[in-house]
């Protein structure tokens, strides 16, 4: 990580020819023009043309102003709004992006930029990955969850009616622009949901970072700009390092990022998408996974207790909702359908101490259900 003028921190994602930078700085969005153009211009000869795909929730607050400031600097900018919410990761919305690209006569030099949360980034990224066999892509995440997770690492895609993220591609962005100041207006529940993924990084990779979070609960809850900037930066560094080592999820290393997600995805799907936010489901899922690790004799109870205390202090849910506890068969079915499952074997990412996890195979459904 490097820090330069205007308190902008840069995290590099080192992937050879696909390397890029994550720029993190308060009020960076307002200077987006300079930063975006600085990165993009040397790589794209001629007049810049950009399709800005924006979550409708941020059109009036951020996207329109960004489009105007970009246009004032010379590039041709087209703005396309997509609805907020998971159902936007659909073939219908994907087709709307393709239509907009056809309409503006996009060519290989055209850039797609996403501004919004993970849904917008995944959808626009997949359009960029597939249109004309691949367009350049920029991420401008505006939720905590997308800043610390989905905007980094190149996973793009849409949902199939029978499964989340079933249709997708790895397509790295050419840059990620993060302005933590936009988090000041994020709805509380959504903000806290993002904190669950931040806690996850501490548990899976960095015990010191976990301790930092424990010491900074007040700052995190108050959205203290300094704390936020440090937390986003460290989360991005940790994710970038995992992605660098296992970009295409082939060695199993990248799977560590799924800690809490096997249980979490099942809870999210069964509660009905949107009932339990992703981070809320992951919060409960991490504690289930940690209790499972205890049952299997991999950790002692204090590792789970510390996670529970931190998650509770951050006002995240820590108990499986009672109506879901009554649906064990469906929970197992969902966990087996998870696309990271191999064959019909339940596999979990489980802690072996704070700051370290391992993938554990051959867990029985009885063992998994015993921790609900
Ligand atoms: N969100 C998990 C990953 O990017 O691999």
């Amino acid at each position: 990580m490097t820090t330069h003028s205007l308190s902008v921190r840069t995290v590099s994602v080192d992937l050879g020819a696909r390397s890029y930078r994550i720029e993190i700085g308060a009020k960076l969005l307002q200077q987006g023009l300079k930063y975006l153009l600085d990165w993009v211009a040397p790589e794209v000869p001629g007049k810049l043309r950009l399709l800005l795909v924006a979550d409708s929730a941020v059109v009036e607050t951020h996207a329109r102003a960004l489009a105007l400031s970009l246009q004032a600097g010379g590039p041709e900018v087209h703005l396309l709004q997509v609805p907020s919410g998971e159902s936007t990761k659909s073939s219908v919305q994907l087709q709307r992006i393709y239509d907009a690209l056809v309409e503006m006569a996009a060519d290989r030099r055209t850039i797609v930029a996403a501004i919004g949360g993970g849904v917008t980034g995944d959808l626009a990224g997949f359009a960029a990955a597939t249109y004309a066999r691949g367009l350049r892509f920029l991420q401008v995440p505006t939720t905590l969850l997308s800043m610390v997770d989905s905007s980094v690492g190149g996973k793009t895609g849409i949902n199939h009616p029978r499964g989340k993220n079933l249709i997708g591609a790895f397509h790295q962005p050419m840059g990620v622009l993060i302005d933590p100041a936009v988090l000041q207006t994020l709805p509380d529940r959504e903000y806290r949901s993002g904190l669950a993924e931040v806690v996850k990084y501490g548990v899976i990779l960095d015990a010191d970072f976990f301790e930092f979070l424990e010491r900074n609960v007040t700052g995190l809850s108050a959205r203290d700009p300094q704390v936020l900037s440090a937390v986003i930066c460290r989360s991005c560094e940790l994710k970038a390092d995992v992605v660098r080592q296992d970009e295409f999820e082939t060695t199993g290393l990248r799977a560590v990022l799924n800690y809490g997600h096997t249980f979490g995805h099942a809870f999210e799907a069964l509660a009905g998408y949107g009932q339990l936010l992703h981070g809320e489901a992951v919060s409960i899922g991490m504690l289930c996974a940690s209790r499972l690790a205890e049952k299997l004799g991999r950790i002692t109870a204090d590792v789970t207790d510390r996670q529970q205390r931190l998650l509770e202090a951050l006002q995240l849910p820590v108990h499986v909702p009672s109506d879901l506890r009554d649906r064990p068969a469906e929970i197992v079915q969902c966990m087996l359908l998870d696309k990271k499952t191999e064959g019909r074997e339940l596999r979990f990412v489980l802690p072996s101490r704070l700051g370290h996890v391992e993938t554990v195979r051959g867990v029985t459904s009885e063992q998994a259900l015993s921790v609900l």
Side-chain angles (χ1 to χ4, degrees):
M1 186 250 297
T2 55
T3 308
H4 48 81
S5 60
L6 302 165
S7 302
V8 177
R9 297 172 185 223
T10 304
V11 176
S12 300
V13 188
D14 299 320
L15 296 170
R18 291 180 302 285
S19 296
Y20 54 97
R21 289 169 9 192
I22 306 165
E23 298 273 318
I24 304 156
K27 308 274 190 255
L28 197 55
L29 200 58
Q30 284 158 22
Q31 305 150 16
L33 169 68
K34 179 179 177 307
Y35 281 90
L36 290 178
L37 295 189
D38 277 358
W39 302 344
V40 173
E43 295 188 36
V44 186
K47 187 180 166 84
L48 287 178
R49 301 179 73 229
L50 207 121
L51 177 67
L52 186 60
V53 180
D55 183 325
S56 56
V58 300
V59 169
E60 296 314 324
T61 42
H62 309 303
R64 210 177 292 287
L66 183 64
L68 288 174
S69 75
L70 283 168
Q71 248 158 355
E76 179 186 320
V77 183
H78 299 253
L79 179 64
L80 178 72
Q81 279 190 49
V82 293
S84 302
E86 192 65 31
S87 57
T88 285
K89 282 172 62 171
S90 66
S91 50
V92 172
Q93 296 300 330
L94 181 65
Q95 184 65 44
R96 286 186 60 230
I97 301 183
Y98 291 150
D99 291 347
L101 288 165
V102 171
E103 196 64 35
M104 67 187 273
D107 61 25
R108 285 241 173 90
R109 295 180 320 156
T110 304
I111 297 158
V112 176
I115 178 164
V119 164
T120 316
D122 285 8
L123 171 76
F126 187 59
T130 46
Y131 190 87
R133 299 198 179 87
L135 300 181
R136 289 180 176 85
F137 177 47
L138 279 168
Q139 288 268 28
V140 187
T142 57
T143 64
L144 182 58
L145 192 81
S146 56
M147 289 175 185
V148 298
D149 185 19
S150 60
S151 69
V152 178
K155 281 191 180 176
T156 70
I158 59 170
N159 299 329
H160 183 275
R162 291 185 54 192
K164 208 169 137 105
N165 295 329
L166 280 184
I167 302 149
F170 286 100
H171 188 61
Q172 298 295 342
M174 61 186 305
V176 183
L177 179 83
I178 298 181
D179 183 344
V182 304
L183 295 178
Q184 299 301 332
T185 52
L186 193 68
D188 196 57
R189 206 175 149 199
E190 217 175 313
Y191 171 70
R192 292 185 186 281
S193 168
L195 289 175
E197 295 281 356
V198 172
V199 171
K200 179 193 80 178
Y201 286 115
V203 182
I204 65 173
L205 292 164
D206 188 345
D208 291 343
F209 183 51
F210 189 91
E211 275 177 44
F212 175 87
L213 298 174
E214 287 177 320
R215 286 196 308 275
N216 284 280
V217 164
T218 311
L220 284 167
S221 291
R223 308 190 196 189
D224 177 284
Q226 303 251 333
V227 175
L228 272 182
S229 176
V231 157
I232 294 166
C233 192
R234 185 65 188 141
S235 301
C236 287
E237 280 177 335
L238 290 166
K239 175 143 190 192
D241 195 45
V242 170
V243 171
R244 178 182 60 75
Q245 296 176 67
D246 185 19
E247 181 182 1
F248 299 111
E249 217 162 51
T250 45
T251 68
L253 180 68
R254 188 162 176 165
V256 301
L257 300 172
N258 297 323
Y259 175 54
H261 283 60
T262 307
F263 281 109
H265 276 158
F267 301 151
E268 199 180 352
L270 290 176
Y273 288 111
Q275 299 304 309
L276 207 51
L277 299 185
H278 177 71
E280 295 172 339
V282 167
S283 171
I284 304 167
M286 287 192 289
L287 291 174
C288 289
S290 194
R291 270 185 225 113
L292 181 57
E294 275 181 49
K295 286 248 147 135
L296 299 176
R298 306 180 72 85
I299 52 165
T300 46
D302 58 306
V303 178
T304 314
D305 293 345
R306 271 180 80 181
Q307 291 171 73
Q308 177 153 348
R309 276 197 299 274
L310 179 56
L311 293 166
E312 277 178 332
L314 296 170
Q315 292 171 39
L316 279 155
V318 293
H319 300 295
V320 182
S322 53
D323 50 328
L324 293 188
R325 266 205 307 268
D326 296 339
R327 298 163 71 186
E330 289 167 272
I331 291 178
V332 170
Q333 199 51 32
C334 272
M335 292 197 294
L336 284 169
L337 279 177
D338 195 284
K339 72 179 181 319
K340 296 184 183 81
T341 315
E342 267 170 14
R344 290 193 58 80
E345 180 190 71
L346 280 178
R347 225 176 10 159
F348 291 91
V349 174
L350 302 181
S352 35
R353 60 174 187 276
L354 207 56
H356 188 78
V357 286
E358 284 164 21
T359 300
V360 179
R361 294 163 193 276
V363 177
T364 64
S365 346
E366 292 70 33
Q367 286 168 324
L369 291 174
S370 72
V371 298
L372 298 183

